[in-house]
Amino acid sequence: MEERYRQAAEILNDAKTVICLTGAGISVESGIPDFRGAGGLWAKYDPMEYAHIDAFRRNPGKIWKMVFELMEITMNALPNPAHLSLAELEKRSMLRSIITQNIDNLHQAAGSRNVIEFHGNASRLDCLNCGQSYGASEFDLNGSPPLCRDCSAVLKPSVVFFGEAIPMRALAESERLSNLADAILVIGTSAVVYPASSIPFIVKSNGGRVIEMNLESTGLTHSITDVFIQGPAGKTLPELVARL
Ligand code: NAD
Ligand code: ZN
C-alpha cells in the first residue's frame, strides 16, 4: 500500500493539470448512502423507479416522498476528510477542478470552488413549467411538494433524473478539462453511469494517468487504472495528501 501512495503522489506532483471525478462513495462517510449500501435509501426506493423523469412527470407527489427523505439526509450532512482534502489540493493549486456526480453540495461546503455539477444539485429547485429556480431552503420541505410561486406547478429538485440530459455547460466543460488533464483522481464511483463514466477514459486516451480510490475494485481498476488505492476515501485521501 505504501508503494501505491508513493506512486500516486509522484503522478500528482509531476502532473500539470489534475482533475478529479467523484461519485456517491466520497459522501458515504458523511452519512449519505450510495446506491448499493445495504439498508440505505435505495434499498427502499428503487432508483430506476423513483429517479426517472417520466415517473416524476406522472406522479410528482410519489417521487417527492423519496426526495423529502433524501433532502433531509443531504441538507444535514457535513463534508468529511475526503471532501476537505480535495479543497486543500485546490488551495495548493494541485487540483484544477472536481467533476462530481453527487448532488449533495458537500464539495462546495468543504471549500472547493471549481466544482462541475454533472448531475445537478439538490439544494436548488426548478420549475419545469416556467423555468423559475429557487433555493430549497426557501421552502418547508415536509408535507406536500413545493409549488412554483409564479405558476403553481410542482417544483423539481435541480438534479438530473434518468431520462434527462446532462446540463450542457457541465458536459462541455468536463470534456474540455478531460482533454487537458494529464492526471485524474477517480474517487468513490462505480463508474457505470454514462457519460460521467467516460471521463477517465478520455484522460487515459490522451496519455494521462488514472489514480483510483475506492472500497472495492470497479470496471476501471483492471482496465485503465494506473494506481488503485483501496479503502475508505475519508482515510485514504488525507493519507495521500500528506505525502505530497
Ligand atoms: P455508486 O453508488 O454506483 O457507487 C459508489 C462507489 O463508491 C462504489 O464503487 C463503492 O465501492 C464506493 N464506495 C462506497 N463507500 C466508499 C468510501 N467510503 N470510500 C471510497 N469508495 C466508497 O455511485 P456513483 O458511481 O456515484 O453513481 C451513482 C449515481 O447516483 C450518481 O449519478 C450520483 O449522482 C447519484 N447519487 C448521488 C449521491 C450523493 O449526492 N451523495 C448519493 C447516491 C447516489
Ligand atoms: Zn413556474
Side-chain angles (χ1 to χ4, degrees):
M1 198 62 165
E2 187 50 43
E3 174 59 11
R4 294 196 183 185
Y5 279 118
R6 198 195 57 71
Q7 289 170 348
E10 191 176 298
I11 290 172
L12 295 180
N13 282 328
D14 290 350
K16 279 212 279 291
T17 305
V18 179
I19 61 173
C20 178
L21 173 68
T22 63
I26 197 169
S27 296
V28 166
E29 289 159 85
S30 293
I32 305 174
D34 63 4
F35 272 164
R36 293 178 300 165
L41 191 66
W42 308 114
K44 199 152 96 189
Y45 298 108
D46 174 5
M48 278 306 185
E49 184 186 342
Y50 278 84
H52 200 288
I53 187 63
D54 293 342
F56 184 84
R57 288 184 195 278
R58 249 192 328 264
N59 192 348
K62 171 181 161 180
I63 306 308
W64 262 102
K65 268 206 217 145
M66 177 273 288
V67 176
F68 284 140
E69 274 194 55
L70 180 68
M71 290 267 195
E72 186 163 315
I73 299 170
T74 55
M75 287 173 97
N76 292 313
L78 295 172
N80 69 55
H83 300 103
L84 295 168
S85 297
L86 292 179
E88 168 71 19
L89 281 184
E90 184 186 274
K91 223 184 277 159
R92 291 198 215 169
S93 301
M94 297 187 78
L95 177 63
R96 176 67 163 268
S97 201
I98 299 170
I99 302 164
T100 188
Q101 300 168 82
N102 297 341
I103 53 161
D104 55 29
N105 206 45
L106 289 182
H107 288 301
Q108 291 90 335
S112 288
R113 300 167 74 96
N114 295 318
V115 182
I116 298 173
E117 295 171 337
F118 212 76
H119 293 157
N121 189 322
S123 66
R124 293 188 307 268
L125 303 176
D126 299 330
C127 178
L128 296 181
N129 187 45
C130 76
Q132 189 60 260
S133 234
Y134 302 90
S137 57
E138 294 175 46
F139 293 83
D140 175 22
L141 290 179
N142 49 60
S144 47
L147 303 180
C148 177
R149 292 184 179 133
D150 287 348
C151 77
S152 301
V154 177
L155 297 174
K156 175 185 155 294
S158 187
V159 305
V160 178
F161 280 51
F162 290 112
E164 284 190 301
I166 305 299
M168 263 187 10
R169 277 182 57 188
L171 193 61
E173 184 61 3
S174 302
E175 201 177 298
R176 189 182 75 79
L177 286 166
S178 314
N179 280 304
L180 206 67
D182 43 11
I184 183 168
L185 276 162
V186 182
I187 305 174
T189 175
S190 56
V192 293
V193 182
Y194 182 83
S197 56
S198 67
I199 291 168
F201 286 90
I202 300 177
V203 175
K204 184 76 175 187
S205 68
N206 290 325
R209 313 292 297 278
V210 179
I211 300 166
E212 186 184 12
M213 305 181 104
N214 199 309
L215 278 184
E216 50 191 54
S217 58
T218 70
L220 304 180
T221 313
H222 301 291
S223 54
I224 61 166
T225 295
D226 293 291
V227 182
F228 179 58
I229 295 180
Q230 189 162 17
K235 179 169 169 289
T236 55
L237 205 45
E239 292 270 353
L240 174 59
V241 171
R243 286 165 175 78
L244 296 173

